[in-house]
Amino acid sequence: MERYAAAVPMFPLKIWFANSRAFVLCSKDENVPTGCEILSIDGEPIEKIRRKLMLYLASDGRIQTKKNATLNNDAFAFLYNLIYGVKTAYQVSLSTEGGNPREVRLKPAKFENTLCPAYKTGSNGKPLEIAYPATAQAILTIRTFSKERIENAGQNFPTFLQTIFQELNQRKINNLIIDLRGNGGGDDIYGALLYSYLTAEPFRYFSALESKSKPVMTAQDHPGLAVQQASKNHFLQNAIVLIDGKTFSTAADFCAVARSSGRAVFVGEETGGGYEGNNSGGTVRETLPHSGLQIAIPTARYSNAVNPVKTPGRGIIPEFALIPTITDVLEGRDVQLEKAIEVSLDN
């Protein structure tokens, strides 16, 4: 991928998709101002292009937010080349705020020349952080559940949670915001451990796990199948969880259990990970005999211990759905966090 990016010219603009609309996140062309909306490329409406590209992106169930997040994370230029071919020029129809649509002709550019600052929540700082922005309010940011990444940063997940939740009770915190945006998952049991601090009762986390080698697993095979116990310094006050399309795997499993039990209120965008569970774990890689394409096949099926919902095959859908506008993005305004703070103050 790096060699391709260095050698092959691509669409020259960094694009930000918000629902079915596309905006220029940054531009090095004076004829294309940052923040303008892209209406079409070479006569094809951008929404048609987006739908076509989405067909080539993987996702849990029928979830679209993970695909959209992937497009916004530099995948657009690569996929556009793959599907539409390498071009020598692009005819782009765009519209500025309050202006009329107009046409510009753009030359392709190397990938490194399209890069620019992007709106990426939860991407900076240590994996685990706590902040107290106001009296009786705390923001717990968990950027990953990966034991390796956490320990490489000099942190320990169980010790961190034990210390923090003891502190929350000592400070008499009434509203806890847990920011899981951008959290792609990690160690299964860390999600169960986090939830153990939000309940006073024993609970189930996974209802079933199975693989080809072991169709029926027990708690001896995976601790997540055992009945989980509440942690000593549990927190029973208001919990608000921030989520988005990159909230995946273990992060989504935790959210599913918290949603099923009614233990938290959710703000942001539908999680990229499924509510009922997922197929993941270790993967087997195979090369298809005719095309030569390589595929990765997950070897384990995880079923979350959750109540059924009316819309299976989806992620955790927030009570307060909020997608940043291009203005929010360019101004660096975190409207989802602002909403979470507002919701916490209303409780």
Side-chain angles (χ1 to χ4, degrees):
M1 185 70 75
E2 291 181 359
R3 283 188 297 175
Y4 183 90
V8 182
M10 302 181 185
F11 188 74
L13 304 176
K14 170 73 174 177
I15 295 181
W16 174 268
F17 285 93
N19 290 324
S20 60
R21 302 173 69 186
F23 301 88
V24 176
L25 194 58
C26 72
S27 168
K28 295 179 174 63
D29 190 309
E30 60 182 13
N31 295 314
V32 183
T34 296
C36 68
E37 182 174 1
I38 294 179
L39 304 177
S40 67
I41 301 174
D42 291 335
E44 187 166 357
I46 194 66
E47 169 57 5
K48 185 176 180 181
I49 294 172
R50 186 188 70 92
R51 289 199 304 266
K52 191 176 294 185
L53 267 55
M54 296 277 257
L55 295 174
Y56 292 80
L57 295 172
S59 178
D60 280 8
R62 300 192 302 274
I63 300 169
Q64 299 298 301
T65 53
K66 178 66 159 47
K67 295 184 177 186
N68 197 75
T70 303
L71 282 182
N72 285 344
N73 195 31
D74 298 326
F76 176 84
F78 291 92
L79 275 177
Y80 193 87
N81 265 19
L82 173 67
I83 297 168
Y84 290 90
V86 179
K87 297 184 177 183
T88 57
Y90 306 88
Q91 192 70 21
V92 179
S93 176
L94 54 85
S95 176
T96 57
E97 186 176 357
N100 296 320
R102 59 188 176 88
E103 300 283 328
V104 295
R105 187 172 179 82
L106 303 176
K107 294 181 179 180
K110 295 292 181 64
F111 178 69
E112 63 180 10
N113 294 326
T114 69
L115 297 178
C116 61
Y119 181 87
K120 294 180 180 179
T121 55
S123 60
N124 299 314
K126 286 193 172 185
L128 311 174
E129 290 186 343
I130 187 73
Y132 299 96
T135 303
Q137 185 182 79
I139 301 175
L140 171 61
T141 301
I142 301 177
R143 296 185 170 92
T144 181
F145 284 108
S146 166
K147 181 179 180 180
E148 180 180 6
R149 286 179 57 190
I150 292 171
E151 291 185 348
N152 285 344
Q155 295 181 300
N156 179 283
F157 191 74
T159 301
F160 179 86
L161 290 189
Q162 183 179 21
T163 302
I164 290 307
F165 278 93
Q166 183 177 359
E167 191 173 275
L168 294 177
N169 288 319
Q170 290 173 346
R171 286 174 172 257
K172 298 186 177 355
I173 297 297
N174 294 325
N175 295 290
L176 172 63
I177 297 171
I178 303 175
D179 191 349
L180 295 180
R181 293 173 297 174
N183 187 322
D187 288 47
D188 297 331
I189 205 63
Y190 279 2
L193 181 59
L194 176 60
Y195 185 78
S196 74
Y197 282 94
L198 299 182
T199 182
E201 305 293 334
F203 63 96
R204 297 293 305 278
Y205 192 69
F206 293 129
S207 61
L209 271 79
E210 57 184 283
S211 68
K212 183 177 180 180
S213 61
K214 194 153 192 178
V216 180
M217 295 187 188
T218 68
Q220 292 181 330
D221 302 305
H222 194 296
L225 288 168
V227 174
Q228 308 293 310
Q229 301 301 316
S231 292
K232 180 180 177 181
N233 293 309
H234 50 262
F235 176 85
L236 301 181
Q237 305 303 316
N238 299 318
I240 301 96
V241 182
L242 280 164
I243 54 177
D244 65 9
K246 291 184 285 186
T247 305
F248 202 64
S249 191
T250 301
D253 295 338
F254 160 81
C255 291
V257 174
R259 159 56 62 79
S260 179
S261 64
R263 184 59 192 88
V265 173
F266 294 85
V267 176
E269 303 166 58
E270 179 181 0
T271 59
Y275 171 80
E276 289 93 351
N278 61 78
N279 295 331
S280 57
T283 58
V284 174
R285 296 188 177 274
E286 296 288 344
T287 301
L288 300 181
H290 298 293
S291 65
L293 292 174
Q294 289 190 334
I295 59 174
I297 304 171
T299 58
R301 177 180 179 180
Y302 290 77
S303 297
N304 296 330
V306 294
N307 297 318
V309 290
K310 294 180 180 179
T311 54
R314 297 289 298 275
I316 292 79
I317 300 172
E319 288 90 344
F320 299 92
L322 187 61
I323 298 175
T325 66
I326 186 61
T327 302
D328 297 327
V329 172
L330 295 176
E331 293 179 353
R333 182 182 174 193
D334 193 343
V335 291
Q336 294 173 338
L337 177 57
E338 289 176 7
K339 184 64 178 180
I341 291 173
E342 177 189 321
V343 170
S344 71
L345 294 176
D346 288 341
N347 290 325

